[in-house]
Amino acid sequence: MNESESVSVEKGLAYRICYGFLGTVIFIFLWTLIGYLIFTKPEYKQFSGLLPLPTIKAFYSLIFDNDFWSSVYASLRRVTVGISIAFVMGLPLGLLIGFYKKLELITYTPVQFVRMISPVSWMPVALLVFRSFESAIYFLIAISTVWPIILNTTHGVSRVNPQWINMARNQGAKNYQLLLKIIVPSSVPYILTSLRLALGVAWIVLVPAEFLGVSSGLGYIINDARDTMEYDRLMAIIIAIGIVGFILDGSIQLIQKSFPFKRTWN
């Protein structure tokens, strides 16, 4: 990267930071304005803990709360395990579906049908099939995140330059060599995108999934704060979920930008 490109990148980063800060200020202003208009009314005064100032105080207390960090760890573990299961299942399926056109035609209708079923609707099935609540949560996260992995991987395979495949076939390459040497390296950007999408879905499904009966996790402590009517703590946990999710999403974006995508076949 030369000097002019470096300056351009720094300016772009400065713009993103400035506009990001402006967006945050606008968000807090609207939160304060709408909250003041609603929660200062006598009939809603019991919910005044949802206002920014009580929420910030409760959030500060969360930082020093060991139960909160234990719940963050429990939720991150569940998301990691669930997405890992989905990735192990979805990646090879996506590669095969994208590589074999007849298989894509066969699986199109079932995949599109099942992926449109709300993950939350699988809760009764999960409770009946799995012996523990923990396993049921893994299932719910996996069943909700496997589809973006399959579909984006399939799309990545379909975007591979067919001339590369024809050239490799002319040189005597087998199907498994095409997959390992051409298809997978070329599909890496789409695979990373699928993981980012899967993370977003998993983070949404996580909270209702943790209502099942576990005694830890961000969903559990939100439910507990609601039951005890600690609305400032409830809102602080919601903000914390957003922050953790934002950090996770940003981490995948950094990996996407820094991944050395190169063609690895001769």
Side-chain angles (χ1 to χ4, degrees):
M1 184 182 294
N2 55 42
E3 185 176 348
S4 61
E5 290 176 337
S6 178
V7 171
S8 177
V9 170
E10 290 177 358
K11 286 184 178 179
L13 180 61
Y15 276 118
R16 289 182 66 88
I17 292 173
C18 289
Y19 280 107
F21 177 76
L22 177 61
T24 303
V25 171
I26 293 173
F27 170 75
I28 294 174
F29 172 76
L30 291 175
W31 177 15
T32 304
L33 177 63
I34 296 172
Y36 178 80
L37 292 174
I38 295 174
F39 300 123
T40 54
K41 295 180 179 180
E43 61 268 31
Y44 295 112
K45 201 164 186 179
Q46 59 178 321
F47 303 112
S48 60
L50 300 174
L51 289 168
L53 187 57
T55 299
I56 292 171
K57 292 179 179 179
F59 185 83
Y60 179 78
S61 299
L62 280 183
I63 296 174
F64 302 98
D65 188 344
N66 291 331
D67 290 338
F68 167 72
W69 291 110
S70 298
S71 293
V72 171
Y73 170 76
S75 293
L76 289 175
R77 185 189 71 244
R78 289 166 185 145
V79 167
T80 301
V81 173
I83 291 181
S84 297
I85 295 170
F87 185 76
V88 170
M89 295 171 57
L91 179 63
L93 281 174
L95 292 172
L96 292 173
I97 291 171
F99 189 69
Y100 295 103
K101 296 305 177 184
K102 290 183 179 179
L103 183 60
E104 182 177 4
L105 294 173
I106 292 171
T107 58
Y108 177 81
T109 300
V111 168
Q112 294 298 327
F113 172 76
V114 178
R115 83 179 184 89
M116 293 307 295
I117 299 173
S118 170
V120 179
S121 65
W122 290 103
M123 279 187 177
V125 177
L127 291 173
L128 290 172
V129 173
F130 295 95
R131 296 182 178 179
S132 68
F133 292 120
E134 201 74 22
S135 299
I137 292 174
Y138 295 153
F139 167 78
L140 290 172
I141 294 175
I143 198 69
S144 63
T145 56
V146 69
W147 310 117
I149 294 173
I150 291 175
L151 293 175
N152 276 272
T153 303
T154 299
H155 182 64
V157 173
S158 68
R159 298 286 293 179
V160 175
N161 191 334
Q163 294 181 353
W164 295 358
I165 296 176
N166 292 332
M167 289 172 59
R169 286 191 188 278
N170 292 335
Q171 295 176 15
K174 306 295 184 183
N175 284 345
Y176 75 90
Q177 292 174 320
L178 293 175
L179 285 168
L180 294 177
K181 294 291 186 177
I182 299 177
I183 302 298
V184 172
S186 299
S187 303
V188 165
Y190 297 91
I191 294 170
L192 291 175
T193 299
S194 75
L195 286 174
R196 184 183 176 192
L197 293 172
L199 176 63
V201 173
W203 207 240
I204 292 171
V205 172
L206 174 71
V207 172
E210 288 182 332
F211 289 169
L212 286 179
V214 293
S215 58
S216 63
L218 294 168
Y220 168 77
I221 60 175
I222 278 184
N223 206 29
D224 182 65
R226 183 202 64 183
D227 291 342
T228 56
M229 294 186 292
E230 297 175 277
Y231 297 118
D232 54 345
R233 178 179 171 85
L234 185 150
M235 195 65 188
I237 297 167
I238 292 174
I239 297 298
I241 290 174
I243 292 172
V244 174
F246 181 80
I247 292 172
L248 292 174
D249 183 73
S251 301
I252 295 183
Q253 286 190 68
L254 288 176
I255 294 172
Q256 286 179 301
K257 291 177 180 178
S258 62
F259 194 89
F261 172 57
K262 295 179 181 179
R263 182 158 53 90
T264 60
W265 62 283
N266 296 320

